[in-house]
Amino acid sequence: MNPLNPFAPPSRVITVVLNPALDHTIEVAGLRLGAVNHALRMQVEAGGKAINVASCLADFGVSAAVTGQLGRDNAALFEALFQRKKIANHCHLLDGLTRINTKLVDTVSGETTDLNLPGPELTPATAADLLEQVLQHLDRLLEGARWVVLSGSLPPGMPADAYATLARRAHAAGAAVVLDTSGAPLKLALAAGPQMIKPNRHELAELVGEPLATREALIAAGRALLNGPHTPETVVVSLGGDGALFLTREQALHAHPLPVAVTSTVGAGDAMVAGLVAAHLENLALVETAQLATAFSASKLTRLGPHLPPPDQVRALARQVAVSTID
Ligand SMILES: Nc1ncnc2c1ncn2[C@@H]1O[C@H](COP(=O)(O)OP(=O)(O)OP(=O)(O)O)[C@@H](O)[C@H]1O
Ligand SMILES: [Mg+2]
């Protein structure tokens, strides 16, 4: 149920945010370390991968709910985003602050310096309690939900199999799972049989333990996952400025990126995950899925935060995405 509106229809997509972040961007002309710098501008955006996915889905008109955790002491920006976009908020409040990741943008060199924090250090008891709370929210929200999005890192202290546990619970209720994470959480949750995964090339290389320097190597690694013991139905490998590979057991496609003016690449992959889910809700074929997911990413690239233009503009962009078949 949506606490903002108990009469609202159930959310079709649930995204799980276990390690949210506020993205704090500061612009400086000529950053000097160890000196007093006079900054030009700052912007703070509610972030975290699962929140970015929900935000893009909401902009496309898909009803989304978020569950997971937020720090009680700076939850206001997240709550404002949820209210503005009519995202149902089912997050558990933890004591303290949500981590703040700082991006220092040097307007002279064009370089960005990221200062990222790991997230709250959870004790075994806090981690177990949080996971239980999220499972309870999930159980309630799963009535009527078609997709569960598990994306982003886990906070320190959260067991690495948390996504595997959540994926099994989603499957038990008949929902499909898309997984977008890395390292041990990816490896362990893969064993729970998510319907779709979206590693970027580095995450896929780490998963299979090989460098994957060529497109052929990436396709072979993706295909091996599709034929493995717990096979996802779709593997999407995003390649940044080189586009993305869309692989199923029957088809292999390369969706080429759109030539857009890039404002920020942060969250381009999250927008792609949102586009993948939106395409599945519309039962699109793989070519149209690849086009819509790429259009979601391209639309986000022109903006600083996880926001999309109106849906008809995204659909118009999707029709311009070139997709080639890989033999
Ligand atoms: N520089 C770029 N120019 C054009 N398109 C891009 C660019 N960077 C990313 N994209 C588009 O966005 C998609 C996803 O980007 P990317 O592979 O960087 O995801 P990611 O590494 O998962 O990002 P994140 O996790 O930060 O959201 C790409 O497949 C591509 O379509
Ligand atoms: Mg990513």
Side-chain angles (χ1 to χ4, degrees), residues 170-215:
H171 286 150
V177 170
V178 51
L179 177 67
D180 178 16
T181 184
S182 56
L186 171 58
K187 206 165 235 172
L188 291 167
L190 207 49
Q195 277 60 34
M196 196 154 58
I197 59 171
K198 197 227 60 71
N200 61 30
R201 69 177 112 207
H202 311 294
E203 290 158 351
L204 184 61
E206 190 195 10
L207 176 68
V208 300
E210 287 170 35
L212 307 182
T214 62
R215 190 179 82 160

Side-chain angles (χ1 to χ4, degrees), residues 92-178:
H92 182 63
L93 291 176
L94 293 182
D95 289 339
L97 292 164
T98 291
R99 66 186 166 140
I100 301 170
N101 289 337
T102 303
K103 291 161 206 315
L104 300 173
V105 178
D106 187 332
T107 55
V108 174
S109 70
E111 284 182 336
T112 298
T113 305
D114 284 285
L115 298 169
N116 288 346
L117 290 154
E121 184 76 51
L122 305 178
T123 63
T126 319
D129 181 50
L130 172 59
L131 189 56
E132 187 48 40
Q133 298 272 354
V134 174
L135 285 166
Q136 285 180 21
H137 281 294
L138 206 55
D139 284 342
R140 277 196 297 278
L141 290 165
L142 275 165
E143 238 173 84
R146 296 265 315 273
W147 280 89
V148 174
V149 178
L150 303 175
S151 78
S153 62
L154 298 175
M158 179 57 76
D161 64 355
Y163 283 145
T165 305
L166 291 161
R168 290 196 175 96
R169 191 68 75 98
H171 286 150
V177 170
V178 51

